[in-house]
């Protein structure tokens, strides 16, 4: 990826993508959409696999393009498959913030277990518990505190599964990424 000079700390803004990066971005967005259609677990506790695409966006493209890729994936997913409860921009924002957070933790940084744990917990708290609970309250007038309680219970279990999967995905991506950069 080529970058322009605007930086804030170590995070580069205004990054330009080369053609191969745009193609890879499109492929990762497609992977995120497809994996988002699969869930693992019982009806009591289901873990969607779409987070894998969010991790890939953050790791490969960083916070800025991760944010854009997450938003695009949600919009394309809505256009192709529709939404059961109708389109709501808040959920698009959540879909964009997740990869952005992963980008802050993983982009051009060594894969370390503490990063995986921290990123997964931050995404769980900010996106899954905070933002999504707020969107459900706004859209369906669900009691905020009651919904928050139910979501906290789910998020006490699901992130541990996501951490293990994220670790293995990042291990594989880092090996492929190292070979591509040689």
């Amino acid at each position: 990826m080529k970058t322009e000079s605007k930086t804030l700390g170590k995070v580069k803004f205004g990054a330009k993508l080369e053609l191969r990066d745009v193609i890879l971005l499109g492929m990762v967005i497609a992977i995120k959409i497809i994996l988002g259609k699969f869930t693992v677990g019982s009806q009591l506790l289901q873990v969607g696999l779409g987070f894998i695409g969010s991790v890939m966006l953050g790791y490969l493209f960083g916070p800025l393009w991760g944010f854009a890729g997450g938003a695009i994936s949600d919009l394309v997913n809505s256009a192709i498959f529709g939404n059961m409860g109708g389109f709501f921009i808040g959920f698009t924002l959540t879909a964009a913030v997740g990869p952005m957070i992963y980008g802050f933790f993983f982009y051009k940084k060594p894969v370390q277990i503490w990063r995986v744990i921290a990123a997964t917990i931050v995404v769980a708290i900010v996106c899954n518990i905070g933002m999504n609970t707020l969107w459900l309250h706004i859209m369906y007038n669900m009691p905020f505190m009651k919904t928050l309680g139910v979501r906290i219970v789910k998020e006490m279990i699901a992130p541990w599964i996501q951490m293990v999967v994220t670790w293995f995905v990042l291990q594989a991506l880092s090996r492929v990424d190292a070979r591509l950069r040689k």
Side-chain angles (χ1 to χ4, degrees):
M1 281 187 252
K2 292 183 180 177
T3 59
E4 292 181 353
S5 61
K6 294 182 183 179
T7 62
L8 179 63
K10 291 185 178 182
V11 180
K12 295 190 183 207
F13 293 92
K16 288 185 176 182
L17 296 180
E18 295 177 9
L19 178 60
R20 73 179 187 151
D21 297 321
V22 173
I23 293 168
L24 181 60
L25 179 63
M27 290 172 55
V28 174
I29 288 170
I31 289 169
K32 180 172 171 29
I33 292 169
I34 293 166
L35 288 177
K37 297 298 171 194
F38 296 97
T39 57
V40 177
S42 66
Q43 212 165 1
L44 180 64
L45 175 68
Q46 289 188 346
V47 178
L49 300 179
F51 77 93
I52 296 171
S54 295
V55 168
M56 292 174 70
L57 283 169
Y59 177 82
L60 294 170
F61 297 100
L64 178 67
W65 286 107
F67 183 92
I72 291 167
S73 72
D74 186 70
L75 294 171
V76 170
N77 185 49
S78 296
I80 294 173
F81 299 109
N83 289 333
M84 290 175 58
F87 176 78
F88 182 67
I89 195 70
F91 290 116
T92 302
L93 184 60
T94 301
V97 169
M100 181 183 76
I101 292 170
Y102 287 125
F104 283 124
F105 281 94
F106 302 142
Y107 184 59
K108 294 188 176 182
K109 295 184 175 124
V111 177
Q112 296 174 325
I113 194 72
W114 74 266
R115 290 185 196 281
V116 172
I117 293 169
T120 305
I121 289 172
V122 171
V123 168
I125 292 170
V126 172
C127 297
N128 303 346
I129 295 173
M131 295 174 77
N132 284 345
T133 303
L134 178 62
W135 308 145
L136 291 172
H137 172 70
I138 291 170
M139 280 187 71
Y140 302 114
N141 203 24
M142 296 172 78
F144 186 82
M145 294 310 287
K146 185 177 179 182
T147 306
L148 183 65
V150 171
R151 296 187 66 81
I152 287 173
V153 170
K154 179 204 177 235
E155 292 300 324
M156 291 176 75
I157 301 167
W160 299 103
I161 298 165
Q162 292 174 343
M163 286 177 202
V164 172
V165 173
T166 298
W167 174 257
F168 286 111
V169 167
L170 290 177
Q171 290 295 312
L173 279 176
S174 66
R175 285 191 294 271
V176 170
D177 195 34
R179 290 181 187 154
L180 290 175
R181 295 193 189 278
K182 286 184 180 180

